[in-house]
Amino acid sequence: MTAEQVARAAREASNMLQTISSAQKSAVLRRIKEVLSERRGEIVEANRLDKEAAKKEVDAGKLSSSLFKRLDIEGNGGEKYATLLQGVDDVDRIADPIGQVTMARKLDDNLDLYRVVCPVGVCLVIFEARPEVVVNIACLAIKSGNAAILKGGKEATRTNQALAEAIQHAIATTETQEGQTKFPEKAVQVVSTRDEINGLLEMDRYVDIVIPRGSNSLVNYIKNNTRIPVLGHADGICSTYLDESADVKKAVHTVVDAKTSYPAACNSTETLLVHSAVVNTVFVEVARALLKAGVRLHADERSMAAIESAGIAQDASLASLVTKATDADFGHEYTDLDLAVRVVDSVDQAIDHINALGSKHTDAIITEDRKSAEWFMRRVDAAGVYWNASTRFADGFRYGFGTEIGVSTNKTHARGPAGLEGLTIYKYYMFGTGQGSTDYGVGEGKRGFLHKDIPLDDNVRNKFVL
């Protein structure tokens, strides 16, 4: 199929999805989980072949190690695959937002206005590695009544294809009850070549939103080569700030988690800011724990002096993990066991650093001072601002969204980890009895508007839910 044929088929599927009931969506999701469970062996085998080929690319210097780490779909003891299956259930359990009324207003007698949640339409999702994205996006698109066109990285071609075939088989084999519209089989499509993507990026007539998930270069390429709205983020430069009242136990646990639990993730902390009042106390213990975990510290002059004074890196193996920071280290996304460290003299200096060099993703403050925490959370310009919690919580699954379409640093309809709401928008329904706009105004024979809000009880809120 050509790019235009793929896009047109997606638009036709999107139009059909407007009449699909919540029960049908749920039936398809349950069937997807069944087929993914049944085909687990062949999907994992496809993933093994992809990883085998990708490892050669890493060894040849043609693929980054961080991208390679994101390729695995099974995880330790099958944990990652189990989480993938759990994510399907989680999406199924979320209340269907489509058709829900978010505003109701009586403009006049027999003239009512409703704002109703509806799907965005056709979503083009382009991602690197992380083949589980095929399942995440497909399930969210189905639940929210959107058609999805998916393009994964070539390093995961076999895995993506195996997952896509499983999902398409599940859609095709879900029973349709009498009186129901058949679920469109083109609701989820997968394309495999860059030429197809370049063509799809021109299809603003059919495609409503592009969601890139991957490197800075990928996101910027998409933004620079399409007229279609783009939802996503280019960098994950997250910072954690140790305030002057930081609790040492909380600081050690949250910072080590934020850096080491999954260094390749976009919500991993890349910069540690330290108040000068705790550089020789709390920071030393945090640094000790980070070094023990194998983290390479790119330390500025004052943090380097604290490390040397405390003698925590005297062992040769640890000394090699501490280097002098350069300006380029700040505002850099490592996606590895590296952390830039800078000492500041106030919470405002920390905020200024983050707003100047961060990526508006997620930033955290470790402090026992509520006033400082709330000041930080109000002034830091990011999609997520945390108090005494790891930046790694910036995730749709952890937020209870079931899964996510991605993390958006945009200031549009979706920001931060975007779940179902990121794939919905709204339209206005108006019910009249033959009124014209010129019937209203000032003067003889003109009517005035009532503009009276209609209470959103359950009957009104679910008035248009199928």
Side-chain angles (χ1 to χ4, degrees):
M1 294 174 71
T2 66
E4 184 171 359
Q5 288 172 327
V6 169
R8 188 185 297 121
R11 172 56 65 194
E12 291 171 358
S14 170
N15 293 338
M16 291 177 64
L17 285 166
Q18 309 302 308
T19 59
I20 297 293
S21 69
S22 296
Q24 284 178 271
K25 296 174 188 177
S26 186
V28 169
L29 291 171
R30 290 195 300 271
R31 181 65 181 137
I32 286 174
K33 184 184 178 184
E34 287 177 3
V35 176
L36 289 174
S37 297
E38 292 165 0
R39 298 191 179 187
R40 178 172 182 159
E42 58 191 85
I43 292 168
V44 169
E45 174 60 18
N47 188 238
R48 185 189 67 78
L49 294 173
D50 280 335
K51 288 188 292 184
E52 206 172 74
K55 184 64 169 63
K56 294 177 183 177
E57 295 289 296
V58 173
D59 293 341
K62 297 179 180 179
L63 185 72
S64 70
S65 59
S66 61
L67 209 60
F68 177 77
K69 291 173 185 175
R70 298 179 184 185
L71 184 58
D72 179 47
I73 199 170
E74 192 172 25
N76 294 329
E79 179 184 359
K80 201 170 181 183
Y81 202 91
T83 299
L84 180 149
L85 295 176
Q86 180 62 46
V88 181
D89 280 339
D90 291 341
V91 172
D92 187 23
R93 279 196 292 267
I94 297 172
D96 189 347
I98 304 304
Q100 290 188 358
V101 174
T102 60
M103 185 208 74
R105 185 163 295 155
K106 182 174 286 295
L107 304 185
D108 192 9
D109 292 334
N110 301 313
L111 186 62
D112 296 335
L113 179 70
Y114 299 89
R115 186 172 63 209
V116 182
V117 178
C118 65
V120 168
V122 176
C123 308
L124 171 59
V125 185
I126 305 165
F127 57 97
E128 296 172 326
R130 289 195 180 178
E132 67 269 20
V133 170
V134 172
V135 180
N136 296 345
I137 300 294
C139 291
L140 284 171
I142 288 166
K143 184 73 175 187
S144 57
N146 288 280
I149 304 170
L150 309 176
K151 166 66 172 75
K154 62 181 181 180
E155 65 280 349
T157 298
R158 299 175 186 83
T159 315
N160 291 339
Q161 191 59 41
L163 290 168
E165 288 174 359
I167 290 168
Q168 289 164 343
H169 177 73
I171 291 173
T173 56
T174 300
E175 292 185 8
T176 302
Q177 303 300 316
E178 185 177 347
Q180 291 181 334
T181 301
K182 182 171 175 56
F183 202 96
E185 293 184 21
K186 296 296 185 182
V188 179
Q189 299 179 82
V190 174
V191 296
S192 57
T193 70
R194 188 177 182 122
D195 287 342
E196 288 173 303
I197 285 301
N198 289 334
L200 287 166
L201 290 175
E202 298 176 359
M203 296 290 128
D204 54 318
R205 178 180 176 185
Y206 301 112
V207 179
D208 296 294
I209 194 166
V210 183
I211 305 170
R213 294 184 59 169
S215 65
N216 184 298
S217 58
L218 170 69
V219 176
N220 286 328
Y221 176 83
I222 300 302
K223 288 182 175 180
N224 293 331
N225 287 275
T226 188
R227 295 185 299 273
I228 304 167
V230 177
L231 184 153
H233 71 282
D235 292 301
I237 304 169
C238 302
S239 297
T240 296
Y241 165 56
L242 303 182
D243 191 36
E244 58 184 322
S245 67
D247 176 85
V248 65
K249 186 177 180 180
K250 293 175 184 177
V252 169
H253 185 65
T254 55
V255 174
V256 171
D257 177 87
K259 183 67 264 183
T260 68
S261 61
Y262 191 179
C266 63
N267 56 14
S268 173
T269 284
E270 303 288 18
T271 300
L272 179 65
L273 300 171
V274 182
H275 194 288
S276 55
V278 296
V279 69
N280 292 306
T281 53
V282 176
F283 166 68
V284 167
E285 296 308 313
V286 171
R288 191 194 308 274
L290 289 167
L291 292 171
K292 185 178 179 181
V295 177
R296 293 174 288 275
L297 300 179
H298 302 254
D300 74 347
E301 186 176 344
R302 288 194 283 179
S303 58
M304 178 72 81
I307 291 170
E308 291 175 348
S309 176
I312 59 174
Q314 290 180 336
D315 184 273
S317 62
L318 296 180
S320 65
L321 295 175
V322 182
T323 61
K324 183 179 179 180
T326 66
D327 288 342
D329 288 318
F330 300 99
H332 179 68
E333 184 178 22
Y334 294 103
T335 63
D336 208 339
L337 286 172
D338 290 85
L339 184 66
V341 184
R342 172 169 285 171
V343 178
V344 296
D345 294 311
S346 68
V347 65
D348 285 329
Q349 281 189 16
I351 292 167
D352 290 344
H353 174 103
I354 292 168
N355 287 342
L357 298 175
S359 62
K360 304 183 189 300
H361 190 299
T362 305
D363 302 290
I365 180 172
I366 310 302
T367 184
E368 296 302 293
D369 185 337
R370 173 178 288 275
K371 186 177 179 181
S372 290
E374 292 181 351
W375 181 253
F376 178 93
M377 296 169 85
R378 285 183 183 277
R379 287 201 55 216
V380 167
D381 184 12
V385 282
Y386 298 170
W387 177 15
N388 289 344
S390 166
T391 57
R392 290 278 291 120
F393 279 105
D395 175 84
F397 179 78
R398 295 185 178 102
Y399 278 15
F401 296 165
T403 185
E404 65 183 30
I405 58 173
V407 177
S408 171
T409 54
N410 298 352
K411 294 183 180 180
T412 55
H413 77 291
R415 197 176 188 206
L420 280 182
E421 288 185 0
L423 293 176
T424 65
I425 196 163
Y426 54 82
K427 63 173 71 172
Y428 288 98
Y429 289 9
M430 186 178 287
F431 294 83
T433 53
Q435 294 92 333
S437 64
T438 56
D439 299 339
Y440 297 84
V442 179
E444 186 177 352
K446 298 291 187 179
R447 294 183 62 85
F449 288 108
L450 294 177
H451 287 161
K452 181 181 179 181
D453 286 344
I454 300 170
L456 288 178
D457 59 26
D458 286 345
N459 289 333
V460 175
R461 186 176 290 106
N462 299 315
K463 187 178 180 71
F464 306 110
V465 174
L466 294 177

